[in-house]
């Protein structure tokens, strides 16, 4: 378990605040983040990178809550964005435009214009037509766009196929074999300024070797470019470091950085990284309440008030999240002696499911839990790609979000109401 979500007096706490108190005050479902956990993860990166020119560009897509972004901005973080919306979030949260890199395969003209207007640090360009479009947009504004080409190093990240991005068959980046020609082309475009090279091979990686294989391939290109007089000032090695959801053993942040720095020995480029999940994943839980216990013919169901619209990862990737009772064994109800074992008395195996009308609407399957109606459960490791991938499916308002800081809790996003759900909709005349 994370150091910031711990059991105290048989109750699960976020830092010093009992999750039961948060449920009482803000109701459920509710995302609960720990400021200290966020800060700790960020500082592990910055400490490991001390002495090296670097920029940690948090991948906003993992969790774009303004307060989360603000906590990271205040720590000095930069940001990796993939849309004009994310750009506006970062700026609204007090982020520094000069610390923003803009990734993504489908940047629209409007997105480019907005980012040029804001004067971001660098566009991570992913295709030949994007280079030409960016050059034209910059020219029309009388500006020069700083660019990096995202190269696809064709290495296997050994993660879920939906979140692998660095293989030939993936849509991301420019083909490794085309990269040099595209840099030459970029050099000929008047309104572009080449500053770096980037790659991102996938997410939830639990080994360092694929990262190192990617760095080595990137460095081969960097040297070929230098030989042609195209000298880069930064290398952006993307995000992707995994976290422990169940029994995975990803490298520690310090070990991951040490391995990268070793592979970069003798290189003086500024190092940019784009971590998402590893900064926020274990800094958040989704707090939910059991609405009904239902005993089916083959299965027991804990029907909870959170659903796939709140946390899509189990439905989408068959992802595993630990599910912990917020109050330890609240209803021990031991059977009289000789009539069974205490632990079997009301501890059953449940599928934890939401109220949505889809068989795929589950949060966890085959979980051993001691619960009754109204029990509170914490879905762990939900800080990354939880709220940010939520939807309004089944006309469900999105959950509330709170941040705990020591003994205090602050609401950082109010639960959505019906007014939010229908904002922008109109009836026909
Ligand atoms: N940089 C780029 C260009 C990316 O595409 C991503 C994630 C990141 C950085 C951050 O990666 P991280 O450090 O978080 O692994 N929804 C999926 C994850 C999708 C990741 C997409 N790109 C999930 O819930 O597992």
């Amino acid at each position: 378990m994370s150091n910031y979500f711990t059991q105290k007096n048989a109750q699960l706490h976020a830092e010093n605040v009992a999750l039961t108190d948060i449920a009482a005050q803000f109701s459920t479902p509710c995302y609960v983040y720990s400021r200290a956990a966020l800060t700790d993860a960020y500082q592990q990166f910055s400490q490991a990178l001390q002495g090296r020119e670097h920029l940690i560009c948090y991948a906003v897509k993992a969790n774009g809550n303004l307060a989360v972004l603000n906590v990271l901005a205040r720590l000095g973080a930069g940001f990796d964005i993939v849309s004009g919306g994310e750009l506006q979030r970062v700026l609204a949260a007090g982020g520094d435009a000069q610390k923003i890199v803009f990734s993504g395969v489908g940047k629209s003209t409007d997105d480019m214009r907005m980012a040029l207007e804001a004067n971001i640090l660098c566009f991570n360009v992913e295709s030949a037509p994007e280079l030409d479009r960016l050059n034209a947009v910059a020219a029309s504004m009388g500006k020069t766009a700083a660019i990096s080409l995202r190269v696809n190093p064709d290495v296997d990240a050994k993660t879920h196929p939906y979140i692998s991005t660095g293989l030939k068959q993936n849509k991301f980046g420019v083909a490794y074999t085309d990269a040099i020609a595209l840099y030459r082309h970029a050099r000929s475009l008047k309104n572009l300024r080449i500053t770096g090279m980037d790659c991102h091979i996938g997410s939830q990686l639990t080994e360092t070797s694929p990262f190192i294989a990617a760095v080595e391939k990137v460095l081969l290109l960097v040297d070929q470019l230098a030989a042609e007089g195209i000298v880069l000032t930064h290398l952006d090695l993307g995000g992707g470091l995994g976290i422990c959801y169940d029994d995975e053993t990803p490298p520690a942040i310090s070990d991951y950085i040490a391995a990268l720095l070793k592979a970069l020995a003798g290189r003086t480029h500024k190092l940019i990284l784009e971590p998402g999940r590893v900064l926020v994943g274990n800094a958040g839980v989704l707090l939910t309440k059991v609405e009904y216990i239902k005993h089916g013919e083959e299965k027991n169901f804990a029907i909870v008030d959170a659903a796939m619209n709140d946390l899509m990862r189990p439905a989408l990737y068959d992802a595993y999240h630990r599910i912990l009772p917020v109050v330890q064994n609240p209803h021990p109800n031991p059977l009289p002696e000789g009539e069974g074992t205490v632990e079997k008395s009301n501890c059953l195996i449940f599928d934890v499911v939401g109220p949505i009308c889809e068989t795929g609407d589950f949060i966890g399957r085959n979980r051993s839990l001691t619960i009754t109606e109204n029990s509170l459960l914490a879905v762990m490791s939900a800080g990354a790609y939880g709220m940010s991938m939520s939807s309004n499916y089944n006309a469900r308002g999105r959950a509330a979000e709170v941040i705990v800081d020591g003994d205090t809790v602050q609401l950082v996003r109010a639960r959505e109401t019906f007014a939010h759900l229908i904002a922008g909709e109109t009836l026909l005349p």
Side-chain angles (χ1 to χ4, degrees):
M1 201 188 303
S2 129
N3 294 334
Y4 302 97
F5 293 91
T6 53
Q7 298 283 354
K8 293 177 198 167
N9 309 322
Q11 285 228 25
L12 194 56
H13 285 61
E15 301 188 28
N16 301 329
V17 181
L19 293 182
T20 42
D21 292 343
I22 294 178
Q25 195 177 347
F26 300 100
S27 189
T28 52
C30 178
Y31 276 99
V32 182
Y33 309 123
S34 152
R35 181 179 189 169
L38 266 176
T39 304
D40 182 349
Y42 181 83
Q43 284 173 344
Q44 287 185 48
F45 268 89
S46 55
Q47 274 157 21
L49 285 161
Q50 246 175 21
R52 166 115 202 171
E53 195 190 354
H54 71 272
L55 183 62
I56 302 156
C57 290
Y58 166 64
V60 174
K61 64 172 81 69
N63 186 327
N65 181 284
L66 289 193
V68 169
L69 300 180
N70 177 257
V71 166
L72 292 168
R74 287 203 242 174
L75 292 167
F79 297 93
D80 167 49
I81 60 164
V82 290
S83 68
E86 287 191 350
L87 171 60
Q88 291 177 84
R89 279 192 169 275
V90 171
L91 298 178
D96 179 352
Q98 263 297 295
K99 292 184 178 174
I100 294 177
V101 296
F102 193 167
S103 302
V105 294
K107 299 176 194 77
S108 70
T109 300
D110 284 348
D111 287 348
M112 289 176 175
R113 203 169 275 132
M114 196 191 293
L116 283 165
E117 202 59 67
N119 199 22
I120 66 163
L121 179 66
C122 187
F123 287 83
N124 290 348
V125 174
E126 303 216 18
S127 65
E130 187 191 331
L131 268 184
D132 292 327
R133 185 188 291 190
L134 181 59
N135 183 57
V137 174
S140 75
M141 297 171 71
K143 292 194 174 245
T144 304
I147 64 133
S148 158
L149 279 179
R150 174 170 175 180
V151 297
N152 182 332
D154 192 29
V155 299
D156 185 357
K158 299 183 199 148
T159 182
H160 190 289
Y162 286 13
I163 52 178
S164 279
T165 52
L167 284 171
K168 270 187 204 164
Q169 60 266 35
N170 300 140
K171 70 178 174 181
F172 300 98
V174 302
Y176 191 78
T177 46
D178 293 343
I180 299 290
L182 283 172
Y183 270 100
R184 286 182 196 134
H185 178 56
R187 176 162 60 176
S188 74
L189 298 173
K190 295 268 173 307
N191 292 78
L192 300 185
R193 181 165 45 89
I194 297 169
T195 60
M197 185 181 296
D198 63 287
C199 74
H200 169 80
I201 57 174
S203 197
Q204 183 54 16
L205 273 73
T206 52
E207 294 171 37
T208 41
S209 53
F211 290 115
I212 302 308
V215 176
E216 285 168 357
K217 292 194 82 171
V218 162
L219 289 177
L220 291 176
L221 293 177
V222 169
D223 290 340
Q224 284 179 58
L225 290 177
E228 295 191 14
I230 301 179
V231 178
L232 307 180
T233 52
H234 79 252
L235 295 179
D236 174 348
L237 300 178
L241 183 59
I243 61 170
C244 176
Y245 286 97
D246 182 13
D247 55 6
E248 305 90 335
T249 51
I253 291 170
S254 56
D255 293 339
Y256 157 76
I257 299 286
L260 292 183
L261 293 181
K262 186 165 166 229
L264 292 169
R267 310 282 176 162
T268 53
H269 303 90
K270 171 175 176 172
L271 177 58
I272 298 183
L273 295 171
E274 303 170 357
R277 185 189 320 263
V278 72
L279 292 182
V280 291
N282 274 322
V285 305
L286 173 59
L287 186 56
T288 183
K289 184 185 78 180
V290 176
E291 289 284 3
Y292 298 102
I293 302 263
K294 177 166 165 175
H295 301 289
E297 242 177 272
E298 288 200 357
K299 291 221 150 195
N300 300 307
F301 297 100
I303 302 171
V304 297
D305 62 4
M308 66 189 283
N309 75 299
D310 300 299
L311 181 66
M312 204 181 172
R313 304 191 70 257
L316 193 57
Y317 316 113
D318 209 11
Y320 180 92
H321 287 259
R322 271 187 203 155
I323 301 176
L324 299 181
V326 166
V327 180
Q328 279 299 303
N329 207 13
H331 311 283
N333 187 29
L335 296 179
E337 238 176 280
E339 291 188 30
T341 56
V342 172
E343 59 283 9
K344 294 282 175 212
S345 62
N346 61 354
C347 172
L348 293 172
I349 307 292
F350 289 96
D351 277 8
V352 179
V353 301
I356 283 182
C357 308
E358 300 252 0
T359 301
D361 179 26
F362 65 92
I363 304 287
R365 291 193 276 215
N366 300 322
R367 305 302 175 88
S368 168
L369 292 166
T370 303
I371 46 174
T372 62
E373 221 169 81
N374 293 319
S375 291
L376 291 171
L377 296 172
V379 184
M380 307 304 289
S381 312
Y385 306 109
M387 186 64 171
S388 63
M389 289 171 70
S390 66
S391 77
N392 291 125
Y393 189 37
N394 278 207
R396 290 167 51 86
R398 283 184 178 77
E401 291 176 290
V402 303
I403 295 193
V404 172
D405 185 1
D407 302 325
T408 62
V409 193
Q410 193 174 320
L411 181 68
V412 292
R413 179 173 168 143
R415 182 176 306 290
E416 281 182 350
T417 63
F418 181 64
H420 290 117
L421 293 187
I422 59 162
E425 292 186 43
T426 46
L427 301 179
L428 293 177

